[in-house]
Amino acid sequence: MVESTTTIYDVARVAGVSMATVSRVVNGNANVKEKTRQKVLNAIAELDYRPNAIARGLASKRTTTVGMVLPTITSAYFSAIARGVDDVASMYNYNIVLANSDNDEEKEGKVIESFLSKQVDGIVFMGSSLQESVRNQLKSARTPVVLVGAIDGDKELPSVNIDYHLAAYQATEKLVKTNKKVAYILGSLGDAENIERMVGYQEALEEAGFAFDEDLVFEGNYSFENGKTLTEKLLEKGVTAAVVSTDAVAVGLLNGLLEKGVKVPDEFEIIAGSNSPFTEYTYPALTSVNQPLYDLGAVAMRLLTKLMLKEDVEETQLILEHEIFERHSTK
């Protein structure tokens, strides 16, 4: 049985060549005779040898590994972004190491520290929020970092997002044309992107001649269950429409309304926040802000490759286009 600790020395011995020759073959150097290359490849196959990425990284100061932090791997929103990250990483021959943080500040810190200790070449950080301690940790790291789906309020960390302010304005503007009481359901009120959404929401209300009422702003906490729980509160306040930043919460609200016999969209209108597949699976299907989720991930990874390779980068705060997909939860 071959030991898992097979080294480059073992390959060189079996192939009858120098370790330098094995290294050239492993690294794709063309300056090796084909007969010699085949001897090395045969020895690698026989010994089941796999180059140690960490050891190679110590020599080259690169591990060709990128750490990706997700708040939850079960989210359709973040998994779509992650697919874009992974596809571009593969194009540039980077390996992705994925970690689930459970949207927990302490766990995020531990995950990031683990990535840094493993000497990853870069980090893609996704989160529903960016806590100050995590922000400081990422900012102080010498390793390049790109945020996606999360905003650094001070614009110091590179990021890729949509214009949350404009998206909230447009969604609210649509609903106030047919409703007098429009609620906004956010993930967490303290997040930078949700602060931008709040500004857009208020502007649309004021332009339509409605006063902003803080009692019509709710925290949805990202889950289907919380969306259902909010149904009663919204109806008690006479709300007849809502912009919901998280799709899972929007689906929960829709189900809660239908269980109470409220007709959507005739008696209550909903606009969801990211156009994940959930929005098409419901009945009625949900009108939604369409975020280019795959592109957010792909562009974030491309930006990270430029930073890792120390290429010139003119803009580190990238905003991608969005649109509103109209379905059957609005009139």
Side-chain angles (χ1 to χ4, degrees):
M1 178 177 172
V2 178
E3 295 291 333
S4 60
T5 53
T6 300
T7 67
I8 192 171
Y9 171 79
D10 298 319
V11 176
R13 178 177 51 79
V14 171
V17 299
S18 68
M19 287 189 289
T21 298
V22 176
S23 179
R24 283 195 289 271
V25 172
V26 168
N27 290 294
N29 191 317
N31 190 27
V32 180
K33 292 180 180 179
E34 186 56 36
K35 183 177 180 180
T36 303
R37 182 187 306 280
Q38 197 57 53
K39 286 170 61 179
V40 172
L41 293 176
N42 289 341
I44 287 173
E46 178 185 338
L47 297 171
D48 194 25
Y49 170 67
R50 289 177 175 81
N52 187 315
I54 295 176
R56 292 169 68 188
L58 291 174
S60 65
K61 296 185 179 179
R62 294 181 63 222
T63 60
T64 62
T65 302
V66 168
M68 180 163 58
V69 186
L70 284 79
T72 170
I73 59 175
T74 60
S75 164
Y77 176 87
F78 290 110
S79 62
I81 295 175
R83 191 165 63 86
V85 173
D86 187 59
D87 281 356
V88 173
S90 295
M91 286 173 54
Y92 288 91
N93 297 314
Y94 282 98
N95 299 308
I96 293 291
V97 180
L98 185 150
N100 178 56
S101 71
D102 293 324
N103 206 37
D104 177 83
E105 181 179 358
E106 183 178 354
K107 191 171 180 181
E108 284 174 345
K110 290 180 179 178
V111 165
I112 292 167
E113 188 57 41
S114 175
F115 282 157
L116 295 175
S117 68
K118 288 180 172 63
Q119 299 183 337
V120 296
D121 293 334
I123 294 175
V124 176
F125 180 89
M126 297 180 221
S128 304
S129 62
L130 182 65
Q131 301 297 330
E132 189 63 20
S133 64
V134 174
R135 176 186 175 277
N136 290 335
Q137 186 181 19
L138 293 172
K139 182 183 171 185
S140 63
R142 294 185 178 182
T143 302
V145 175
V146 173
L147 310 178
V148 57
I151 290 179
D152 172 14
D154 292 334
K155 309 293 185 185
E156 292 180 310
L157 290 169
S159 67
V160 182
N161 292 281
I162 67 164
D163 187 334
Y164 298 110
H165 169 269
L166 179 60
Y169 173 87
Q170 292 171 335
T172 308
E173 181 186 41
K174 176 175 175 58
L175 293 179
V176 292
K177 291 177 180 178
T178 50
N179 297 275
K180 292 182 179 180
K181 278 197 174 185
V182 177
Y184 209 114
I185 303 174
L186 302 158
S188 172
L189 295 177
D191 298 344
E193 63 267 32
N194 284 333
I195 292 173
E196 291 194 8
R197 286 185 173 108
M198 281 288 296
V199 175
Y201 167 65
Q202 290 183 50
E203 286 182 1
L205 288 176
E206 291 168 2
E207 287 187 15
F210 296 113
F212 169 70
D213 183 352
E214 64 181 15
D215 287 341
L216 299 185
V217 178
F218 300 85
E219 285 191 288
N221 295 325
Y222 311 107
S223 75
F224 172 90
E225 290 76 15
N226 280 313
K228 287 193 70 173
T229 301
L230 286 171
T231 304
E232 191 82 44
K233 296 178 181 178
L234 292 169
L235 295 177
E236 285 177 356
K237 293 182 180 295
V239 172
T240 58
V243 182
V244 189
S245 65
T246 306
D247 288 354
V249 177
V251 175
L253 172 60
L254 173 63
N255 277 259
L257 290 167
L258 295 178
E259 286 178 6
K260 291 184 177 299
V262 178
K263 296 177 181 179
V264 177
D266 294 343
E267 298 173 333
F268 201 107
E269 296 183 76
I270 302 172
I271 296 181
S274 58
N275 200 43
S276 69
F278 290 145
T279 59
E280 296 184 86
Y281 298 161
T282 60
Y283 184 81
L286 292 168
T287 294
S288 180
V289 174
N290 179 48
Q291 296 191 41
L293 302 180
Y294 179 90
D295 291 346
L296 285 169
V299 171
M301 185 61 211
R302 180 65 187 106
L303 174 58
L304 185 62
T305 61
K306 290 183 176 182
L307 296 173
M308 292 187 296
L309 297 173
K310 295 181 169 53
E311 296 178 10
D312 291 334
V313 176
E314 293 183 4
E315 180 57 61
T316 60
Q317 306 296 316
L318 303 181
I319 301 296
L320 303 191
E321 295 291 329
H322 69 273
E323 57 188 319
I324 294 181
F325 278 6
E326 293 196 27
R327 295 195 180 94
H328 305 298
S329 64
T330 52
K331 297 172 185 175

